[in-house]
Amino acid sequence: MRINTVQAWWVRIPIEASRQHRSDFGQLTTFDAAILRIETDDGIVGWGEGKNAAGSAGSYGTLVHMLNHEVGPKLVGRDPADISAIWEMLYNGVRHETAAMSGHAMPELARRGLSVAAISAVDIALWDILGKSLGAPVWKLLGGRKAERLPAYASGGWENAEKIGDQLQSYIANGGFKSVKMRVGSMDRAPHVSAARVRAARKALGPSVDLMVDAHGTYTVAEAKRFIQLVQDCDLAWFEEPVIADDKPGMAEVRAAGKVPIAAGESEATRFAFRDLAILRSADIFQPDPAFCGGITEAMRIGAIASAFNLRFAPHLWAGAPCFFSGLHICAASPASFVIEYSLGANPMIHDLVEETVAVRDGMIEIPDKPGLGFTINERVLESHAQRL
């Protein structure tokens, strides 16, 4: 079996006006991603996804060009089952053969950002192909699954203090969630405004529902510490991305200043960045995004680091279908995983892009049993929303 064709598209699906929301990213009017299709010479198709932003916060022309004109030609003719070898080849670039024989990485300067996003898309698609070729779900190839269903949390929460309780309660009614996440940070202009919204949320939810908050990395260290002090009686399950990802020592300072677990990693790429998070004691929960961190291969390595440091693992899955389904398989196989992120914002990139129904019931989500990643791309939706570059 050999790779025959590689094709990527910038897919942009509009969000209906009644379901749009505003956050520190602005008004979200579309959901965007780089969607990758790899086909083998015997007709097996694998689907991948790469990203350089959350939802509609970025453009994908450069990433798609990279996949089609720089990465894709390197893959044609290769055995798609050589997943780790292809990962290292793309990461190490022109020195990949020397790196392979030397037993350590020798990446080029462009070893993060779009480069790893492209690797992520390829890696996800290759795992999809491998599972389909063997007639097995990806979680079985990763070592097996620990459960047929896993807990999911409702991810959303942008309303003001007067409406946030009703919004989060609607999530619980939607899927029986036992845990919910809301947004805080620069969208509220000041920590005390975010704190008031959190207190209103906790009052509406009561003590039995886990409540998480996500600042999208928009606080300074001082603001994050102030926010923790203001919500210290709200029993938060975690505080996500309190400060910019580039300030790992600052994140460690925030973590040491309070009793709220710190979650981070959606803006990080490769196991090396998560190693630093662990060593600096910056986070309690790792949140790699499979479409940005390096794909399924690298997410599993990151999960192993989390387990080795007695930390927990909850991938960032605000994403399209290939990334989201990857997260299901990764979490099913990872000893350190404990909960699945499930977007309660409008997400046509999951629900419209695939033929399957993706839903949470009684706060739990099923792990797919079908070969590969377990979804069927809706080709009509893909063709309708692929951008002409």
Side-chain angles (χ1 to χ4, degrees), residues 202-249:
R202 174 51 77 196
K203 181 178 179 180
L205 294 172
S208 61
V209 176
D210 283 340
L211 176 62
M212 301 85 108
V213 298
D214 183 357
H216 287 165
T218 58
Y219 282 139
T220 64
V221 171
E223 289 171 333
K225 290 162 71 174
R226 181 182 175 207
F227 172 78
I228 287 178
Q229 185 178 25
L230 291 170
V231 297
Q232 60 185 339
D233 59 344
C234 291
D235 189 27
L236 295 180
W238 76 55
F239 183 10
E240 184 171 330
E241 286 199 309
V243 298
I244 184 173
D246 292 331
D247 188 8
K248 293 180 179 63

Side-chain angles (χ1 to χ4, degrees), residues 128-344:
D128 194 25
I129 288 172
L130 184 61
K132 290 172 178 175
S133 71
L134 298 175
V138 168
W139 55 259
K140 185 166 288 188
L141 308 181
L142 296 174
R145 63 180 176 183
K146 58 187 179 184
E148 295 181 358
R149 301 195 305 162
L150 290 175
Y153 72 89
S155 183
W158 303 274
E159 286 288 1
N160 59 30
E162 289 72 32
K163 297 179 180 179
I164 189 65
D166 289 341
Q167 186 177 48
L168 298 181
Q169 289 281 18
S170 73
Y171 297 167
I172 295 172
N174 179 289
F177 295 94
K178 306 300 188 297
S179 52
V180 298
K181 185 170 79 180
M182 61 181 286
R183 269 57 183 180
V184 297
S186 67
M187 60 176 279
D188 292 325
R189 305 294 182 187
H192 74 272
V193 178
S194 287
R197 293 176 56 244
V198 172
R199 287 195 295 271
R202 174 51 77 196
K203 181 178 179 180
L205 294 172
S208 61
V209 176
D210 283 340
L211 176 62
M212 301 85 108
V213 298
D214 183 357
H216 287 165
T218 58
Y219 282 139
T220 64
V221 171
E223 289 171 333
K225 290 162 71 174
R226 181 182 175 207
F227 172 78
I228 287 178
Q229 185 178 25
L230 291 170
V231 297
Q232 60 185 339
D233 59 344
C234 291
D235 189 27
L236 295 180
W238 76 55
F239 183 10
E240 184 171 330
E241 286 199 309
V243 298
I244 184 173
D246 292 331
D247 188 8
K248 293 180 179 63
M251 194 180 300
E253 184 179 339
V254 173
R255 180 174 179 265
K259 298 179 180 179
V260 181
I262 300 299
E266 71 178 66
S267 300
E268 302 288 4
T270 79
R271 58 197 181 275
F272 304 110
F274 285 87
R275 172 205 60 196
D276 293 345
L277 281 173
I279 290 173
L280 291 170
R281 299 188 178 277
S282 299
D284 301 276
I285 300 156
F286 283 179
Q287 297 178 301
D289 187 307
F292 181 72
C293 77
I296 294 172
T297 298
E298 199 70 352
M300 290 300 294
R301 292 166 175 167
I302 292 164
I305 294 173
S307 180
F309 279 83
N310 201 30
L311 304 174
R312 293 193 293 171
F313 184 66
H316 178 254
L317 299 177
W318 193 277
C323 178
F324 180 80
F325 276 76
S326 294
L328 296 180
H329 292 269
I330 292 163
C331 288
S334 172
S337 72
F338 68 107
V339 71
I340 303 287
E341 180 174 25
Y342 187 85
S343 166
L344 263 292

Side-chain angles (χ1 to χ4, degrees), residues 31-36 47-55 60 63-64 66-67 87 112-125 127 265-270 274 287-300 302 313 315-328 330 341 347 349-350 353 373 375:
F31 207 108
D32 298 52
I35 301 298
L36 179 68
W47 295 94
E49 177 181 350
K51 64 167 66 168
N52 51 260
Y60 284 84
L63 178 55
V64 167
M66 178 183 293
L67 285 164
W87 199 104
R112 292 291 187 273
L114 295 183
S115 295
V116 178
I119 293 172
S120 301
V122 170
D123 188 81
I124 290 169
W127 279 105
E266 71 178 66
S267 300
E268 302 288 4
T270 79
F274 285 87
Q287 297 178 301
D289 187 307
F292 181 72
C293 77
I296 294 172
T297 298
E298 199 70 352
M300 290 300 294
I302 292 164
F313 184 66
H316 178 254
L317 299 177
W318 193 277
C323 178
F324 180 80
F325 276 76
S326 294
L328 296 180
I330 292 163
E341 180 174 25
N347 191 337
M349 199 65 75
I350 290 179
L353 191 61
L373 291 174
F375 63 83

Side-chain angles (χ1 to χ4, degrees), residues 147-152 175-178 359-366:
E148 295 181 358
R149 301 195 305 162
L150 290 175
F177 295 94
K178 306 300 188 297
V360 172
R361 296 179 180 83
D362 302 320
M364 306 289 284
I365 189 164
E366 292 185 3

